[in-house]
Amino acid sequence: MLNVLYACAGMGLLGVLFGVVLAVVSKKFAVETDPKVAAVTDALPGANCGACGAPGCAGYAAAVAGGTMAPDRCIPGGNAVAKTIAGIMGVAVAETEPVRAQVICQGFDPCATDKAAWTGVRTCAAAAAVGGGPRSCRFGCIGFGDCRRACPFNAIAMHGRTPVVTDRCTGCGMCMAACPKGVIVLRPKDRPVHIRCRTGEPAKVSRTQCQKSCIKCKICVKACPQQAIVWMSDPHDALLLWADGKYPSLALERLHDLPVINYAKCTNCGICAQKCPRKVIVDLRAAAASAPALPVAR
Amino acid sequence: MSYLLILISAVLINNFVLMQFLGICPFLGVSRRIETALGMGMAVIFVMVLAGGVTYGIQQLLVPGYEYLQTLAFILTIAALVQVVEMVMQKLSPILYQALGIYLPLITTNCAVLGVTLLNIKREYNFVEAVVFSGAAAVGFTLALLLFAGIRERMERTGLPQYVQGPAIGLISAGLLSMAFMAFSAFRTEQMLQDLAALVGLG
């Protein structure tokens, strides 16, 4: 019996000894950290997606507390997080319209076809590096799911070779960076009308490549009652629209000779979608009412 | 046994991960990429050498009749030691802390660290031998981790069928790697060990 007591006492003593050592060391070697860093870190979503430009949430928190980055750069967190962080830092931020990823290509089977069979590594980046990729349209989606693998929020599902952005999307833009074809872009959230083609080919060529390709007819520009559709003919147009504040990514998209909706003017009427002869402009309200559910496969 | 033989034996013939199956958790968990595997390996080498030395001292404190407290005392010591090292490192060398810091808490309750300290006592090593054996065991752990991480990095790029992706093929290849290392157990005698040492250019 006494042995058990000795054992307990011995181990207890050892524990207390280590406890004291730990306490002394933690006092003596304490690292002073800015309490704001911890507060900002707590306010962030913690997905470490990198959309703000800093390496992870901790890096962004340190940069905000250090004053080198603005408090409204967390895209997944949106306005709510920006307000919280601004409150911690004691500065004001302006509201921005939340964004989400949109796939601006409908060239999946059977609209476009494969011009060659790809037997290499099944990533879009690898396929795109060989002769512009295996698809009939060199501007279109390859469909090997680089965007799905890049998404830190599991928001992109592959229906066969069709990427589908789900409601989990936070608009961080990681998919946009991963897509070698630039067919994923950021657009204002909750907008039903989208232009889904980015071909740079003239009508004669694009007509043969894909059933749903833009043929540069500009009917949409003429049809819009709000004059909200802009024809991009040189990079300057992109900058002007981008300055309107509704396009976080437009300056990076390199769109040329294509229509773009200015969402600052757009009233979601959907007339352009009805008029487009190539079904390049989609109205998600009409699509949701008529389309059958796609089979889910990974 | 000379220090050289302790080294070769711990790294190749009785490799902690692939022959004695200690430290399997980080072996499977932190072997996705070679850089993280290397970071983990360096942290393990650091902690194992320290723990091997410190627990050797703790063993001297255990009065005869109370040896059964060895495991408990060693776990307590290792956990406290890692915590202290983490705090001191954060203060004195932030660069080293950034490189090893995130791995240190993972090692706190790593069975490979506990295993090496218990084996030190069981094999009745003296202090220097214990430290050498601890370091060698950690080097063996790092070697296994790096080999495995290299294999997994390559496997990521091959179009594996979905039903063997991830942990399934990980366990299969870990088994094959372990079988490959079992060939080293052919070196059973001390003479053979010395031949092996000469073969790898250490003798």
Side-chain angles (χ1 to χ4, degrees):
Chain A
M1 190 60 208
L2 212 55
N3 278 348
V4 175
L5 281 180
Y6 281 144
C8 288
M11 290 311 293
L13 207 67
L14 206 61
V16 169
L17 188 74
F18 284 139
V20 170
V21 170
L22 274 177
V24 169
V25 170
S26 77
K27 278 273 178 242
K28 196 141 192 177
F29 290 89
V31 179
E32 302 83 21
T33 49
D34 192 344
K36 279 177 183 168
V37 176
V40 173
T41 310
D42 286 343
L44 291 169
N48 292 319
C49 68
C52 52
C57 291
Y60 178 57
V64 169
T68 53
M69 283 177 83
D72 59 351
R73 298 290 291 279
C74 180
I75 293 168
N79 286 324
V81 167
K83 249 183 216 160
T84 317
I85 297 176
I88 295 165
M89 298 302 297
V91 294
V93 286
E95 290 248 337
T96 51
E97 190 173 346
V99 293
R100 68 176 280 174
Q102 287 288 343
V103 184
I104 53 166
C105 176
Q106 299 181 94
F108 324 110
D109 299 321
C111 299
T113 48
D114 278 338
K115 68 181 174 196
W118 176 255
T119 55
V121 180
R122 276 181 76 88
T123 70
C124 306
V130 181
R135 303 294 282 165
S136 56
C137 170
R138 69 189 171 93
F139 291 90
C141 176
I142 294 170
F144 289 155
D146 279 14
C147 47
R148 180 177 70 80
R149 284 185 287 275
C151 181
F153 300 96
N154 257 336
I156 297 178
M158 294 302 290
H159 293 169
R161 277 169 71 182
T162 309
V164 176
V165 181
T166 65
D167 288 339
R168 282 186 183 175
C169 180
T170 60
C172 72
M174 286 295 116
C175 49
M176 188 181 148
C179 179
K181 292 296 180 187
V183 292
I184 294 202
V185 296
L186 299 178
R187 289 287 181 263
K189 208 178 172 180
D190 306 325
R191 292 294 193 145
V193 183
H194 293 282
I195 298 175
R196 290 194 165 164
C197 183
R198 61 160 302 147
T199 182
E201 303 285 7
K204 215 162 104 188
V205 179
S206 68
R207 215 184 262 281
T208 62
Q209 286 174 338
C210 177
Q211 290 169 22
K212 290 184 177 174
S213 58
C214 178
I215 53 168
K216 328 290 182 195
C217 65
K218 305 193 186 178
I219 287 176
C220 50
V221 177
K222 289 163 212 153
C224 180
Q226 308 294 326
Q227 279 89 48
I229 297 185
V230 184
W231 196 266
M232 303 287 240
S233 46
D234 72 82
H236 192 60
D237 296 335
L239 279 177
L240 281 180
L241 256 186
W242 176 67
D244 240 350
K246 302 285 182 188
Y247 285 94
S249 65
L250 199 65
L252 306 170
E253 287 169 21
R254 304 185 310 276
L255 297 178
H256 180 65
D257 207 16
L258 284 167
V260 168
I261 299 175
N262 182 354
Y263 286 106
K265 288 184 182 172
C266 176
T267 56
N268 308 331
C269 68
I271 289 174
C272 52
Q274 289 161 23
K275 296 277 181 177
C276 179
R278 300 287 287 173
K279 303 275 174 272
V280 162
I281 306 183
V282 292
D283 187 336
L284 296 180
R285 291 163 300 190
S290 65
L294 283 161
V296 177
R298 281 178 69 195
Chain B
M1 285 240 285
S2 71
Y3 299 132
L4 185 69
L5 293 185
I6 292 179
L7 193 87
I8 292 174
S9 156
V11 173
L12 295 178
I13 296 155
N14 293 316
N15 188 292
F16 257 52
V17 178
L18 297 170
M19 290 301 293
Q20 310 203 36
F21 308 115
L22 290 166
I24 295 295
C25 168
F27 179 65
L28 292 173
V30 205
S31 56
R32 284 263 162 141
R33 290 171 57 212
I34 288 184
E35 294 110 79
T36 52
L38 191 64
M40 181 73 185
M42 290 300 138
V44 167
I45 292 176
F46 188 72
V47 169
M48 268 202 190
V49 172
L50 266 181
V54 172
T55 50
Y56 188 83
I58 295 289
Q59 175 67 23
Q60 312 308 314
L61 294 177
L62 290 176
V63 199
Y66 291 95
E67 281 92 355
Y68 65 94
L69 291 173
Q70 196 186 41
T71 310
L72 199 57
F74 280 13
I75 289 180
L76 194 65
T77 312
I78 294 167
L81 179 73
V82 174
Q83 288 301 309
V84 169
V85 166
E86 195 185 350
M87 281 187 279
V88 173
M89 197 190 271
Q90 194 174 9
K91 180 76 175 180
L92 297 183
S93 170
I95 299 162
L96 197 61
Y97 178 76
Q98 284 214 325
L100 304 183
I102 51 168
Y103 305 109
L104 282 177
L106 291 177
I107 303 168
T108 314
T109 49
N110 187 329
C111 64
V113 181
L114 181 66
V116 81
T117 57
L118 292 176
L119 280 177
N120 277 338
I121 308 306
K122 197 174 154 198
R123 296 185 183 177
E124 295 174 347
Y125 285 145
N126 64 32
F127 181 73
V128 182
E129 280 172 344
V131 171
V132 168
F133 176 68
S134 306
V139 169
F141 175 88
T142 309
L143 176 74
L145 204 60
L146 282 178
L147 285 174
F148 194 48
I151 292 172
R152 284 183 90 171
E153 273 197 359
R154 289 206 159 200
M155 241 152 25
E156 288 275 302
R157 290 173 180 78
T158 58
L160 284 173
Q162 207 181 344
Y163 50 86
V164 290
Q165 276 173 16
I169 195 69
L171 287 170
I172 292 170
S173 37
L176 291 175
L177 196 59
S178 175
M179 275 164 71
F181 261 71
M182 284 192 182
F184 285 115
S185 57
F187 299 94
R188 274 182 304 268
T189 64
E190 195 153 327
Q191 183 55 46
M192 282 170 144
L193 272 174
Q194 269 154 8
D195 291 348
L196 179 65
L199 202 69
V200 296
L202 285 168

